[in-house]
């Protein structure tokens, strides 16, 4: 049984599953500011995927997706992240692996937004909508859609999308997404010079994102700028 288990763990199918899970862990580490943990996890993922990287496009895709997100966040290199993420989307497409495409396109859109291509980022994000998707992914995508709208100056559309995000996150009991929605609403209100509403929203965001270190820090910066 042990030998069978070992063979299974070293099969392409098993490595692809593990790579997907580890990519999710890297994403969480990146988003919460635990960059050293993300870097260490990437080293382990590199070693796991290396033996089959040339023959397994799914495992290789999740590995490159992890590097794409890490490059854009921890490395502050969205251009490298964009190149990697676009390659991942193409690889998944060629491998007829549609379940991986939404995440790949989300990473593409996040890099596009960091590079200032807000309209293209929004179009790419809307292309990730599928009939059945995890609630966590849908909320994350809608957060980035609202932010892309805000960055384009479409305040009314951004406010509507962010408000809907907050309501759905509250219904699902996912407070981190509810907190991100309040943070975004604070920025929208501040952009409209409604500083009272902005301060109220940012207080809610800080309350609901205590463990999301990067978002919490940015929310504090937003609050400080509102009070200037």
């Amino acid at each position: 049984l042990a030998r069978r288990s070992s063979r299974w763990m070293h099969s392409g199918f098993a490595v692809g599953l593990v790579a997907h899970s580890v990519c999710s862990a890297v994403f969480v580490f990146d988003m919460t500011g635990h960059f050293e943990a993300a870097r260490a996890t990437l080293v382990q993922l590199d070693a796991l995927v290396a033996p089959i990287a040339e023959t397994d496009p799914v495992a290789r895709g999740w590995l490159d997706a992890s590097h794409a997100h890490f490059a854009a966040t921890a490395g502050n290199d969205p251009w490298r992240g964009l190149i990697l993420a676009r390659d991942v989307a193409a690889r998944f497409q060629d491998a007829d692996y549609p379940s991986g495409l939404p995440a790949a396109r989300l990473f593409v859109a996040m890099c596009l937004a960091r590079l200032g291509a807000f309209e293209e980022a929004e179009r790419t994000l809307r292309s990730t909508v599928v009939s059945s998707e995890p609630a966590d992914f849908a909320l994350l995508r809608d957060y980035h859609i609202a932010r892309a709208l805000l960055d384009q100056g479409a305040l009314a559309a951004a406010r509507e999308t962010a408000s809907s995000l907050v309501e759905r996150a509250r219904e699902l009991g996912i407070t981190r997404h509810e907190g991100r929605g309040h943070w975004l609403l604070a920025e929208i209100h501040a952009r409209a010079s409604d500083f009272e509403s902005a301060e109220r929203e940012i207080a809610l965001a800080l309350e609901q994102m205590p463990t999301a270190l990067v978002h919490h820090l940015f929310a504090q910066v937003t609050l400080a700028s509102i009070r200037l």
Side-chain angles (χ1 to χ4, degrees):
L1 180 60
R3 284 195 297 271
R4 288 179 184 175
S5 177
S6 177
R7 284 198 299 271
W8 184 86
M9 279 304 295
H10 286 87
S11 70
F13 176 74
V15 173
L17 288 177
V18 173
H20 182 192
S21 299
V22 175
C23 178
S24 299
V26 172
F27 179 82
V28 171
F29 285 141
D30 286 344
M31 296 300 289
T32 54
H34 294 91
F35 298 130
E36 288 307 312
R39 193 188 310 277
T41 304
L42 277 173
V43 170
Q44 296 176 12
L45 184 57
D46 282 332
L48 176 70
V49 175
I52 62 168
E54 297 304 317
T55 58
D56 189 325
V58 173
R60 172 65 181 275
W62 287 120
L63 172 64
D64 286 351
S66 301
H67 279 286
H69 195 268
F70 185 80
T73 51
N76 196 28
D77 189 354
W79 180 246
R80 179 170 183 267
L82 177 63
I83 293 171
L84 285 169
R86 280 178 165 165
D87 283 348
V88 171
R91 189 174 291 117
F92 284 166
Q93 185 79 50
D94 291 344
D96 193 23
Y97 181 58
S99 60
L101 278 173
R105 288 173 179 162
L106 174 66
F107 291 170
V108 168
M110 291 170 67
C111 293
L112 285 168
R114 284 174 176 262
L115 290 166
F118 305 124
E119 292 184 17
E120 188 177 355
E122 183 194 349
R123 287 195 301 270
T124 303
L125 287 163
R126 294 191 187 281
S127 77
T128 69
V129 177
V130 294
S131 57
S132 59
E133 57 188 4
D136 202 63
F137 177 85
L139 292 169
L140 181 62
R141 179 200 57 234
D142 290 353
Y143 165 81
H144 285 289
I145 288 176
R147 179 159 290 283
L149 290 167
L150 172 61
D151 288 333
Q152 294 174 69
L155 298 188
R159 185 183 300 110
E160 181 180 354
T161 304
S163 297
S164 176
L165 165 64
V166 167
E167 289 301 319
R168 286 185 293 117
R170 183 179 298 133
E171 290 172 3
L172 293 167
I174 307 179
T175 56
R176 62 185 179 280
H177 286 301
E178 186 180 348
R180 290 189 187 111
H182 284 300
W183 170 33
L184 197 51
L185 283 170
E187 293 191 59
I188 293 166
H189 288 308
R191 189 79 64 86
S193 299
D194 182 357
F195 299 114
E196 182 178 346
S197 295
E199 188 162 353
R200 182 176 63 249
E201 293 291 347
I202 206 67
L204 290 169
L206 289 167
E207 179 183 324
Q208 293 169 339
M209 298 190 300
T211 59
L213 302 181
V214 173
H215 290 91
H216 198 279
L217 174 61
F218 288 158
Q220 288 178 318
V221 170
T222 302
L223 178 59
S225 67
I226 290 168
R227 289 176 171 172
L228 286 177

